[in-house]
């Protein structure tokens, strides 16, 4: 038998049509039945062993031959007999459409006939289910707080419920008909492989911890179950995924393990991407790092990310806020003290340096460190050793220093408030965290991230933000940066309780304050045109920086300059 023998292909088609619930059989030039699939056997109430080799005109008495038999007249391939009723072995009537086409060998000579029996009942049943039962099921699935989506055998999404929309951030209109890996990190990730395996093998995979990528590119931790989706004939027609948002569990795990990654810092703007690019390089070294940024920009989190990515991650990270400890106590807090060093020192007490031995010491608000302690800190950085307060016994430590400040250390040096030699020791690598006003493109991502985090902590579903409220949030200047944004959203969640977040749920000072103050009219009784007002708002929110303003407005700097002159700004 040749590899290109047409009967091979016919047998393959019979199997495929079985999966589609379509009956089919083949006959040779002597009208002998050569093959028949299971669906056709069920429709006719016959078994394969009974009919193979027998004359089709004797077997299919309930389905009249076509007016132009394919074997007699090969030009009749597109003709078909009107629908006929047949009764199966269970005495159930089926409305059947019969279609046939000749089978040719590789020389173009007809060697038989391929006949399809299309039962109308499953199609009508499918239509009815889509109109009634399926719609009822979809309504039920839409009302529960578990994310659910289904795919066909090709992995294309066929259903996406409301909870899945909230967890992923995708509108179902954007994902229906798309490959399922659109909501994950790609085709090769374990979640997609498990779903494909469920479809191919019919195996279920339960309680898999993975992560979904939302429409903003932010990773969402999930626990998912994957299973095959079968029709009423127990044939696998696709896959089913159910998943829970594990944001709260992830937060608790972070607190317990004190481990953080770049995915915990949200942002796609060029300014923050530059920081992300530096983290893996900096983390691999033991160099001291100085983190600069305004209050609330995430210096503390960045320090944790660097430590968690370093080879010291299994050792402690010890933090000390230099601005929060009285000057009289800060030396003993950092370096420890010996018994009898001062009144009340009844025992030896290790300092933060000893606690951080082998790990990382994070000195927050380093600019507030007293000059007297700065000298002792310099010696530790140079010699890796120090004396606890009141002790003559030297202590040696292996500690990496991360420091942070919201004050310009160069300015403090000029004012003789900070040692220049200490600055150069701390400033081996400097990372500057941009204020939120320079990252306005990240605001939608951060708003969604904090809402998910805060609502998960309260056991609430992810709320929707109304368009006017979102506009207010996007236009606010955030002098308190990320910390202030999180506080504003927490306020809104507390006040809102149920339903979408509106402008009334935002703090009053956010609703009333405009970024950069009031707009100025260009003449008596005249207000700026809409475009000019927008340009002025952007200029004021960017402190007059034309480069950042042009980037935010999506125009080049020369165009911005011409418009500034035209409107007299």
């Amino acid at each position: 038998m040749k590899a290109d023998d047409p009967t091979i292909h016919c047998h393959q088609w019979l199997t495929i049509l079985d999966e589609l619930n379509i009956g089919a059989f083949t006959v040779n030039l002597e009208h002998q039945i050569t093959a028949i699939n299971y669906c056709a056997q069920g429709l006719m109430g016959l078994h394969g062993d009974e009919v193979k080799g027998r004359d089709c005109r004797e077997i299919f008495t309930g389905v009249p031959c076509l007016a132009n038999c394919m074997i007699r007249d090969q030009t009749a391939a597109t003709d078909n007999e009107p629908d006929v009723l047949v009764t199966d072995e269970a005495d159930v009537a089926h409305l059947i459409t019969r279609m046939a086409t000749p089978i040719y060998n590789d020389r173009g000579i007809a060697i038989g006939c391929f006949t399809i029996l299309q039962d109308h009942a499953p199609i009508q049943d499918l239509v009815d289910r889509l109109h009634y039962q399926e719609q009822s099921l979809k309504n039920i699935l839409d009302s529960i707080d578990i994310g659910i989506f289904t795919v066909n055998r090709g992995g294309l999404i066929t259903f996406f419920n409301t909870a899945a929309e909230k967890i992923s951030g995708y509108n179902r209109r954007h994902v229906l008909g798309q490959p399922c890996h659109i909501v994950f990190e790609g085709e090769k990730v374990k979640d997609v492989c498990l779903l494909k395996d469920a479809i191919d093998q019919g195996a279920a995979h339960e309680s898999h911890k993975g992560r979904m990528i939302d429409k903003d590119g932010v990773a969402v931790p999930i626990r998912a179950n994957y299973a095959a989706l079968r029709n009423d004939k127990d044939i696998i027609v696709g896959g089913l995924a159910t998943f829970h948002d594990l944001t709260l569990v992830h937060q608790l795990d972070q607190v317990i393990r004190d481990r953080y990654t770049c995915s915990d810092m949200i942002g796609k703007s060029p300014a923050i991407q530059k920081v992300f690019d530096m983290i893996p390089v900096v983390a691999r070294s033991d160099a001291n790092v100085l983190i600069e940024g305004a209050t609330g920009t995430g210096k503390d989190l960045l320090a944790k990310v660097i430590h968690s990515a370093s080879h010291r991650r299994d050792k402690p990270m010890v933090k000390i806020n230099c601005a929060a400890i009285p000057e009289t106590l800060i030396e003993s807090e950092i370096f420890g003290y010996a018994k009898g060093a001062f009144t009340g020192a009844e025992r030896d007490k290790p300092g933060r340096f000893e606690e951080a031995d082998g790990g990382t010491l994070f000195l927050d608000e380093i600019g507030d460190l007293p000059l007297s302690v700065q000298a002792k800190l310099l010696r530790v950085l140079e010699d890796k050793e120090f004396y606890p307060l009141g002790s003559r016994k030297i202590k040696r430590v292996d500690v990496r220093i991360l420091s942070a400040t919201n004050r310009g250390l160069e300015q403090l040096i000029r004012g003789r408030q900070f040692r220049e030699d200490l600055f150069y020791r701390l400033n081996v690598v400097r990372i500057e965290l941009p204020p939120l006003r320079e990252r306005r493109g990240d605001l939608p991502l951060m708003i969604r991230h904090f809402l998910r985090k805060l609502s998960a902590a309260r056991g609430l579903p992810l709320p929707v933000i109304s368009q006017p409220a979102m506009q207010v949030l996007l236009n606010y200047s955030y002098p308190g940066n990320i910390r202030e944004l999180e506080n504003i959203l927490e306020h809104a969640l507390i006040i809102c309780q149920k339903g979408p977040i509106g402008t009334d749920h935002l703090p009053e000072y956010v609703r009333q304050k405009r970024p950069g103050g009031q707009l100025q009219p260009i003449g008596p009784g005249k207000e700026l045109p809409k475009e000019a007002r927008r340009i002025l708002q952007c200029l004021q929110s960017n402190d007059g920086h034309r480069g950042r303003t042009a980037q935010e407005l999506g125009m080049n700097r020369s165009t911005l300059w011409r418009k500034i002159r035209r409107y007299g700004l």
Side-chain angles (χ1 to χ4, degrees):
M1 184 178 289
K2 297 179 181 179
D4 59 350
D5 194 311
T7 57
I8 294 177
H9 302 297
C10 288
H11 282 289
Q12 292 173 342
W13 276 108
L14 289 173
T15 303
I16 293 171
L17 292 172
D18 249 334
E19 293 190 11
L20 298 175
N21 201 28
I22 296 174
F25 64 92
T26 60
V27 299
N28 60 21
L29 293 177
E30 285 73 40
H31 295 279
Q32 293 174 326
I33 298 170
T34 54
I36 182 169
N37 71 355
Y38 293 111
C39 186
Q41 294 174 43
L43 285 174
M44 306 306 300
L46 301 168
H47 296 283
D49 295 337
E50 297 178 54
V51 298
K52 285 181 182 177
R54 296 184 60 183
D55 193 305
C56 63
R57 293 168 294 187
E58 297 176 6
I59 298 299
F60 296 106
T61 55
V63 183
C65 285
L66 300 180
N68 297 306
C69 176
M70 295 298 105
I71 296 173
R72 294 195 308 268
D73 183 2
Q74 297 169 22
T75 63
T78 58
D79 292 343
N80 62 277
E81 196 73 20
D83 296 339
V84 294
L85 279 172
V86 297
T87 303
D88 64 17
E89 57 185 348
D91 204 29
V92 176
H94 296 268
L95 184 64
I96 300 292
T97 296
R98 180 176 177 180
M99 295 166 284
T101 185
I103 302 172
Y104 298 98
N105 64 13
D106 55 356
R107 293 174 301 197
I109 300 172
I111 59 173
C113 173
F114 188 93
T115 301
I116 292 175
L117 305 175
Q118 177 65 67
D119 184 1
H120 289 215
I123 298 174
Q124 188 57 48
D125 179 57
L126 177 62
V127 171
D128 292 341
R129 288 175 60 198
L130 286 173
H131 283 153
Y132 304 104
Q133 297 174 18
E134 292 283 334
Q135 189 58 49
S136 300
L137 178 60
K138 288 177 181 178
N139 290 338
I140 293 170
L141 295 179
D142 265 338
S143 67
I144 62 178
D145 60 357
I146 299 172
I148 299 173
F149 71 84
T150 61
V151 298
N152 61 18
R153 289 189 66 92
L156 303 181
I157 297 174
T158 55
F159 175 73
F160 208 72
N161 79 338
T162 302
E165 287 184 314
K166 289 183 178 180
I167 294 172
S168 70
Y170 283 102
N171 186 296
R172 67 189 67 182
R173 293 195 303 271
H174 300 146
V175 297
L176 290 177
Q178 297 294 320
C180 61
H181 62 73
I182 191 175
V183 295
F184 295 105
E185 292 180 285
E187 294 183 66
K188 304 299 182 184
V189 298
K190 192 170 183 181
D191 294 271
V192 176
C193 294
L194 290 176
L195 182 56
K196 287 181 178 178
D197 183 68
I199 297 171
D200 295 338
Q201 307 298 328
H205 300 282
E206 299 179 349
S207 295
H208 169 68
K209 286 188 178 181
R211 63 183 197 170
M212 183 175 279
I213 304 300
D214 73 10
K215 72 179 181 66
D216 298 318
V218 178
V220 182
I222 59 170
R223 184 178 68 249
N225 299 321
Y226 301 108
L229 194 62
R230 300 172 184 269
N231 63 12
D232 53 3
K233 295 187 181 296
D234 205 35
I235 296 172
I236 296 175
V237 294
L240 170 72
T242 62
F243 53 95
H244 297 262
D245 188 345
L246 293 186
T247 299
L248 178 58
V249 176
H250 179 68
Q251 291 169 19
L252 293 174
D253 185 57
Q254 282 181 321
V255 173
I256 294 168
R257 298 174 60 228
D258 203 27
R259 291 286 176 84
Y260 296 82
T261 66
C262 285
S263 62
D264 297 305
M265 299 182 68
I266 306 302
K268 288 186 174 181
S269 63
I272 200 66
Q273 284 296 325
K274 184 179 177 182
V275 174
F276 292 164
D277 292 340
M278 291 182 69
I279 289 174
V281 179
V282 171
R284 285 195 294 267
S285 75
D286 268 338
N288 297 328
V289 180
L290 176 62
I291 304 170
E292 291 190 336
T295 299
T297 49
K299 300 185 292 295
D300 193 322
L301 178 58
L302 177 57
K304 291 177 180 177
V305 171
I306 293 173
H307 172 74
S308 297
S310 75
H311 66 89
R312 297 175 180 265
R313 57 184 170 272
D314 294 324
K315 296 293 184 178
M317 175 179 171
V318 178
K319 175 185 174 181
I320 182 166
N321 190 321
C322 302
I325 302 174
E327 186 173 346
T328 54
L329 298 178
I330 194 164
E331 182 176 356
S332 62
E333 279 292 321
I334 294 178
F335 302 106
Y337 56 81
K339 180 180 178 181
F342 50 84
T343 303
E346 298 177 353
R347 57 181 176 83
D348 291 350
K349 182 180 182 298
R352 303 296 176 88
F353 260 105
E354 284 186 76
E355 292 174 2
D357 192 20
T360 304
L361 181 66
F362 177 45
L363 298 171
D364 198 10
E365 307 301 349
I366 188 71
D368 293 295
L369 194 67
L371 281 168
S372 59
V373 182
Q374 290 179 29
K376 198 166 183 178
L377 176 60
L378 179 62
R379 183 185 175 187
V380 181
L381 295 179
E382 291 177 342
D383 304 329
K384 303 294 184 183
E385 60 185 32
F386 63 94
Y387 289 98
L389 187 65
S391 174
R392 294 184 179 180
K393 185 177 179 181
I394 199 166
K395 298 282 186 180
R396 289 183 174 84
V397 290
D398 173 24
V399 174
R400 183 188 194 180
I401 302 293
L402 304 180
S403 52
T405 180
N406 63 355
R407 306 171 66 185
L409 293 187
E410 289 98 333
Q411 186 177 351
L412 294 178
I413 291 170
R414 288 193 293 270
R416 299 181 181 275
Q417 296 174 282
F418 202 86
R419 293 180 62 109
E420 188 173 9
D421 48 3
L422 176 59
F423 169 73
Y424 290 123
R425 283 290 182 183
L426 297 172
N427 190 37
V428 178
V429 178
R430 187 191 307 198
I431 300 178
E432 297 183 22
L433 283 175
L436 204 48
R437 67 175 180 272
E438 294 180 10
R439 305 174 48 190
R440 290 195 172 274
D442 290 336
L443 276 173
L445 282 72
M446 301 181 80
I447 290 169
R448 179 173 176 79
H449 168 75
F450 284 127
L451 282 178
R452 179 186 287 118
K453 173 183 171 183
L454 293 167
S455 57
R458 288 166 173 74
L460 299 172
L462 185 66
V464 176
I465 302 182
S466 69
Q467 197 61 36
M470 178 62 83
Q471 199 61 42
V472 172
L473 290 171
L474 295 179
N475 287 332
Y476 184 61
S477 58
Y478 299 101
N481 293 294
I482 299 170
R483 187 181 296 121
E484 184 181 14
L485 171 62
E486 187 171 4
N487 291 342
I488 289 170
L489 294 173
E490 186 171 9
H491 172 99
L493 275 177
I494 293 170
I495 302 301
C496 174
Q497 295 185 359
K498 291 183 180 180
I501 294 175
T503 54
D504 292 344
H505 303 126
L506 300 175
E508 188 175 355
Y509 72 89
V510 175
R511 285 179 277 150
Q512 292 182 347
K513 192 171 182 180
R514 295 288 181 268
Q518 297 297 319
L519 299 171
Q520 300 297 322
I522 55 177
K526 295 183 180 179
E527 279 197 348
L528 289 169
K530 184 177 180 180
E531 182 183 48
R533 291 170 64 86
R534 183 163 170 258
I535 291 173
L536 186 55
Q537 283 180 332
C538 287
L539 279 168
Q540 292 170 334
S541 65
N542 286 298
D543 297 328
H545 194 290
R546 291 174 184 164
R548 292 195 296 265
T549 302
Q551 185 178 9
E552 188 173 324
L553 292 170
M555 60 179 69
N556 59 50
R557 294 185 63 161
S558 58
T559 302
L560 176 63
W561 172 245
R562 287 197 302 271
K563 291 181 182 292
I564 288 173
R565 294 192 65 182
R566 181 196 307 168
Y567 295 123
L569 305 178

